Every structure is written in structure tokens, then in C-alpha cells.
Amino acid sequence: MTARVDELRDLLHRYNYEYYVLDAPTVSDAEYDELMRQLRQLESDHPELVTPDSPTQRVGAEPSTAFGTVRHEIPMLSLSNVYNYDEIAEWVARVHRLAGHEDIEFVTEPKIDGSAVSILYRDGVLERGATRGDGVTGEDVTTNIKTIRNIPLRISPLKKGAVIPGVLEVRGEIYMRRSEFDDLNRRRGEAGETLFANPRNAAAGSLRQLDPKLTAARPLRMYAYGVGQADGDLPAMHADQVALLRDLGFPVTDNAQVCITVDELWEQCESWLNARNDLDYEIDGVVIKVNDTNLQNELGSVSREPRWATAYKFPAIQKTTVIEGIEINVGRTGSLNPVAILAPVEIGGVTVRRATLHNEDEIERLGVRIGDTVVVERAGDVIPKIISVIEENRDGSEQPFSMPDTCPVCGAQAVRLEGEVARECVNVSCPARVREQVRHFVSRGAMDIEGFGSKLAVLFVDLGLIQDFADIYDLDWNRIAEIEGFGDKRIENLKQSIAQSNQQPLSRLINALGIRHIGERNARSLAHHFRTMDRLLEATREELEGIPGIGSVVAEAVYDFLQEPRNRELIARLEKMGLRMDEDSVDTGPTDGKLSGKTVVLTGRMESLTRSEAQELLERAGAQVTSSVSRKTDFVAVGADPGSKAERARELDVSILTEDDLIAMLRDDGVLNPE
Ligand code: D41
């Protein structure tokens, strides 16, 4: 009996580790649940066998009324900040000076934007979990910490010979993955609950729930970055301590890097900065630490900040500013989109003057009024957005805003349809709508008509030269020649690029039509499936829904669009104008390429492709990109600083592709141009 209980616990610990730490499950959820059910049954039949580190004990504790306090035996220090190359150089020079020599190894690791914790193990069993608090005293959040699935309840060394110290305090950061945060917020929105502003707030708030069941329902994870108290000898180098934590089953960064020179450190900082938007977790900088813990001790700390570590902080992507007004833009589908007009503010080297407010629900959620001071974020290439209102800054002069019920452009009624978030102008020929449609039609991702930019699209619509897309191919050139700035040469060039766009493949044409929910990717899926416009026009709802990646909402939107007589007429006119109505034949990758039908995992950083580009190209080649390595994985494509996924691939004998291999295959499959 005890033997079976032990066996079940070992299996569950292992599967849990594979799932939550390695991201590489080897059993199905159903199998896992079944083993858990068996263990619960045995434990309820024999309560004397229950131990605090049993996998059944992650949740179970009753809600408490307050957290106890915990004193950190070794204070949890905070980090000084540096913001650029020169400050890193200065910091390094100080370490060199204090050490008396320059032969010093530094380690860089990502600075995860979460909430710091200390987790204490005694004889390998999780005894106490605490928040950092002020660094000296924190809160006892043990029952909450135990619900976090990638934190071991019991340490079981994964490497032979790894010795578990009698007392081991692991320090780390509790965070949420972006994808899981988005899911959580979506669910909260659907349930009418308030949304979290960002993953960090969500993680910190979830960690401090008095009812551990609430914490258990949140997708929290830990990332271990160091050791506090420990019995016995630990490796002398920080990098080796991190490796030890990994061998003991803790989630650690895969990408710690040893550096000597300032240039090497800077290269790492820049590389993380570039990778930042492609990661599924938020990082706000890079932590730089002296590798040798003996030297760390020698250097010591001043005012609770170690002299042996610092944080390179990324340029701020959030700033505060004032909302001077709210404007309504009318989109391609006639949706009324509120846009905040901001007092100009510089964020990450770009002056931001406008930020999207999405729709009226968002305005209500944020509670924004005109005149409010707000936090604005500009991350990567995405449109700046408003994160929150600073209510303390209100002086009573702020004006509430409500969405108009008529279209600000054509005056037609603007209604909000059942189940939609946006108010829409009911006038299908609303000039604002046509303008946006034409702008989209000629844009780079759609028909890509060179020299025909947004400005021209707007001008031609406003002059009445274009009423629908087909007019683009039937322009009154005599009238255009009379417009200022349209000389012979410009007209000739424009004629030529319009004529060239005739030959764009079906996927681009589908995208260009501006069907709701259809962007480049979905357009490609449709084009690959149907190959010709004629076949697409005959598609049934069921057939559309059967296409991989096309859900019922998208299928419905496409079907409705294609059933609308005006749209069918428009497509017929485009065909008469000589537009191509089928897909590229070189694009047959998805059925007969080397990558078609394969499952590929990406890990590490690629030199020549971003992660999203690599994913996009792979999907175009018909491959499926997944996040975890299992026996079903066909290839693991490994970039610089690969982590556990590459190791896992080796263990499972999955074929490994270098970046060059991957590029060669993408070229062979015709989704990447030969260079
Ligand atoms: O990823 C992090 N957020 C992180 C935080 C990290 N990778 N390393 C850290 N190292 C330290 C020292 C050097 C003081 C042990 C930290 C933090 N501290 C830290 N987290 C919150 C306050 C300080």
C-alpha cells in the first residue's frame, strides 16, 4: 500500500515536472488525472499516509484571514539600475576597481517582471514560502506557493549525485505567461470581473489571495534565480548554483550567459531587448551578476543593494500624459473606433500623440474622462494603448465621454449589434468606410500597389474617383492628370503598378477584400484550401469551418460576406478587369514540402529571423509550430543559447535543425526566397 502511494507520488511529481518545468509532457492529461484520482482515493482511505509534500496537497488549505509575517534570515536585497552602455561600463569599472583586477566573470540573465519570493526547503520538503516584502520581513504565503505547479513540493534530484542541502532557500520570481494572462483576462471579462492591467499585477495579486483556491485557479509560475540560506557546500559560481537548481527540478532561465567585457554584456542586453516582444513572459531588463560568490561576498552591499549585481533596465514603454480629447475614427467595417488624443509624450524614442481606446467597453473599463492623466504604453510596433487612469490627479474639470449614436463622418445611425463590441455606422457607402477599405486594398499586405499609399487612397475616394475597389482598375486618368502633382511620369508609374497588382495571388486578393476577421494568415489558409475564387464562392459554411485554423466565427463572416450580392458583383467586376483569381503554384509547400505536416518546436534566438517570422514561414510551409518537445515532435529548430528544449530533443532523439538547416528547408519548400 505505502509502496503504491509512493509510486503514484513519484509518477505525479515527475509528470508535473515534465509538464510545468520542461514544457514537455510525456503523458496525456487524462492519464495524469487518473493517477491523481487513484492517489486521492488511497489517501482518503488511509489518511495516516497523507504527507504535506503529496501532490494532492497543492490545494486544500482553508482560507485564512491574514498572512503571518516571515523574517528573511538573509535579507532579500534589491537591485540598482543602469540604463545604457555607459552606465554598464561605469558599473563594471567600479567592480574592477573594488576587486583590484579586471579578470572577472559576469553572468547575464533575463529580469522577469513578476513578484519576488523565497521558498524554504527542509530535508527536501517545501516548508515555507514568503513574499519579499521590504526585503527583511515578508508575508507567509506558503499555502499559495504550494498551489504553483512548477514549484516542487519535494525536491527529487534529476541528476545522479546532486546532493540536496538540509536547508535550501530558493529565491525567485512569481510571474504569469502572457498567453495565460490574456486567457485569464478574457475569462474575467466574460464573467464581468475587473481586468488586470498587466501580468505582473495579476501575479502579485494572485499570490496574495487569502483563499488558496483562488490562487490555485490562476496560471502562476515561478522562475528561480538564486539561493538564499543553504546548508553545506554550494558551488562557488552563481552559474553553477543555477545549474544545481535546474538539476534539483527548479525552473531556471535557459539563457544565462557568462561575459567578461562590457561589449559582451551590452550584446546580451541588446539581444534580450530585441527578443523581448517575442517572449511569452514579460521582462523589464537584464540582471548582471558577478559569477564568483566569493567575490560577491567580498564586494558586499550598500544600503540593501549588492555591489556585485545590477539590473540593466529597458527603456520605459509606459509614460504618463494627459488626454486632451477623444476622436472617433470610422474603420473598414464601419466600426466607430475611439482614439485618445494625447499631450505629446516621448516613449522609447518615439513621440506618441494618439492611443487607441478600442471601443466603448474599454472606455468604461478604464473609466477615462477627457482631461485625465493616464498611463500610456507603447510596446514594440503595436499601437500605443492606455493602461490606466491616475485618479488622484483629477481636479473635477474632467469631462466624461460617451460614444455618439450617429456616424461622425456621414451622419447615418451608428448601432451596436448584439454580441459585437463596436458601434457601427449602418451606411455601407459611408465615405470613411470606403476610404479605409481602399487604403487596406492597396496596402503592402494586400494588393501591394506601389506608389499608391494611404494619402492617394483617401484623395481619390474624396474626389469621387473611387467608389469601390474595382474603380482602382478603371481610373479616369484624364481627371487625375488635372490634379496638382500628377505629372506624366507619376501617372505612368502608377498605371504600371496598378497593372502589376493584377497578378497578385488569390491569398492577397482575399485579404484585400477586407472581410471581417480575415487577415493575411486566414486569407492564406482560404487560398490554399480553395485555390480559386470560383471554388471559394461555392464554399459552404461547413467546408469553411473544416479548414484548419478557421473557427466558426471566421467561417460565418466569410460565408456572410460571400453571400452578399453586392460583394459577389464586386468580385465579378474585379475578374472582368483582368485580376488573377487563383493561388501561386510555387506555394504548394503545404502538401509536398519537406516541412509539410511536420511538427516543429523553436528554441533559442535565431540570427536572421524573429520567432514570429520563423513561425509564420513554417506555417506557410504547412508545418505546425508547437511549444513543447515530445515524441510527436519532428524537428526542434535551435537558435543561439538554446535551453532545456534542445536537451529534451536530444533525450528523445528528435531531429535537431540549426538555423541554417531551417533556412535551407524553408527555401526548398518555396516559402523563403533563395538568397
Ligand atoms: O528575474 C528577476 N526578476 C531577478 C530578480 C533576477 N533574475 N535576479 C535577481 N537577483 C537578485 C539579487 C542579485 C539581489 C540576488 C533578482 C532580484 N535580486 C530581485 N528581485 C526583486 C528584488 C530583487
Side-chain angles (χ1 to χ4, degrees), residues 62-125:
E62 291 303 310
S64 55
T65 48
F67 297 117
T69 57
V70 164
R71 209 183 147 75
H72 299 295
E73 217 52 55
I74 302 175
M76 291 183 77
L77 302 173
S78 50
L79 288 164
S80 61
N81 294 322
V82 287
Y83 293 94
N84 52 45
Y85 182 99
D86 288 347
E87 291 182 16
I88 295 175
E90 248 172 67
W91 181 82
V92 168
R94 187 169 65 139
V95 172
H96 286 167
R97 198 177 63 243
L98 292 167
H101 64 94
E102 304 195 351
D103 182 19
I104 293 174
E105 281 184 5
F106 298 97
V107 180
T108 54
E109 54 196 33
K111 183 166 184 295
I112 301 238
D113 205 2
S115 193
V117 292
S118 142
I119 305 172
L120 189 72
Y121 290 84
R122 197 176 300 277
D123 299 325
V125 177

Side-chain angles (χ1 to χ4, degrees), residues 53-271:
D53 64 346
S54 171
T56 59
Q57 301 303 299
R58 286 207 181 261
V59 226
E62 291 303 310
S64 55
T65 48
F67 297 117
T69 57
V70 164
R71 209 183 147 75
H72 299 295
E73 217 52 55
I74 302 175
M76 291 183 77
L77 302 173
S78 50
L79 288 164
S80 61
N81 294 322
V82 287
Y83 293 94
N84 52 45
Y85 182 99
D86 288 347
E87 291 182 16
I88 295 175
E90 248 172 67
W91 181 82
V92 168
R94 187 169 65 139
V95 172
H96 286 167
R97 198 177 63 243
L98 292 167
H101 64 94
E102 304 195 351
D103 182 19
I104 293 174
E105 281 184 5
F106 298 97
V107 180
T108 54
E109 54 196 33
K111 183 166 184 295
I112 301 238
D113 205 2
S115 193
V117 292
S118 142
I119 305 172
L120 189 72
Y121 290 84
R122 197 176 300 277
D123 299 325
V125 177
L126 192 158
E127 179 174 278
R128 191 203 70 192
T131 61
R132 175 172 176 277
D134 63 5
V136 177
T137 45
E139 286 175 313
D140 186 331
V141 287
T142 309
T143 51
N144 289 344
I145 288 286
K146 286 173 81 172
T147 67
I148 300 174
R149 305 293 200 285
N150 74 345
I151 298 179
L153 295 177
R154 175 177 73 188
I155 303 173
S156 35
L158 303 158
K159 249 210 180 113
K160 280 202 202 72
V163 182
I164 309 171
V167 170
L168 177 68
E169 181 196 356
V170 178
R171 291 181 172 178
E173 205 81 13
I174 304 297
Y175 70 100
M176 249 182 226
R177 287 192 180 174
R178 289 187 184 170
S179 51
E180 292 174 336
F181 165 79
D182 290 341
D183 275 354
L184 173 69
N185 252 359
R186 191 180 38 70
R187 287 196 307 270
R188 287 179 71 86
E190 282 163 11
E193 294 166 321
T194 55
L195 304 190
F196 289 112
N198 54 48
R200 175 166 42 83
N201 287 3
S206 302
L207 187 61
R208 296 188 67 264
Q209 291 297 321
L210 288 168
D211 182 354
K213 288 199 180 55
L214 293 178
T215 307
R218 305 278 172 78
L220 294 176
R221 290 175 186 262
M222 179 190 56
Y223 153 67
Y225 62 69
V227 176
Q229 299 176 70
D231 268 3
D233 288 337
L234 288 179
M237 295 295 155
H238 169 72
D240 297 329
Q241 294 188 355
V242 171
L244 172 68
L245 289 175
R246 177 187 291 125
D247 291 342
L248 295 178
F250 290 92
V252 296
T253 179
D254 293 331
N255 296 316
Q257 189 74 38
V258 175
C259 300
I260 307 271
T261 65
V262 176
D263 283 347
E264 284 166 354
L265 288 169
W266 182 242
E267 196 185 311
Q268 285 302 311
C269 291
E270 282 195 308
S271 147

Side-chain angles (χ1 to χ4, degrees), residues 428-505:
V428 284
S429 5
C430 171
R433 200 158 157 171
V434 176
R435 233 194 234 169
E436 289 312 307
Q437 284 170 346
V438 173
R439 249 157 82 146
H440 172 70
F441 190 91
V442 300
S443 70
R444 275 182 62 192
M447 298 305 271
D448 193 15
I449 306 184
E450 218 186 303
F452 203 140
S454 281
K455 281 212 185 96
L456 219 55
V458 172
L459 179 69
F460 286 0
V461 172
D462 290 353
L463 290 176
L465 286 161
I466 297 179
Q467 262 131 24
D468 67 32
F469 307 143
D471 292 339
I472 296 172
Y473 297 92
D474 192 15
L475 284 167
D476 183 345
W477 294 103
N478 293 330
R479 271 192 67 195
I480 294 172
E482 288 162 15
I483 306 172
E484 208 188 301
F486 283 83
D488 291 349
K489 180 109 185 98
R490 184 165 182 201
I491 289 190
E492 217 30 65
N493 287 341
L494 198 53
K495 275 185 181 168
Q496 205 167 32
S497 39
I498 292 175
Q500 271 168 10
S501 76
N502 272 355
Q503 289 314 306
Q504 293 288 17

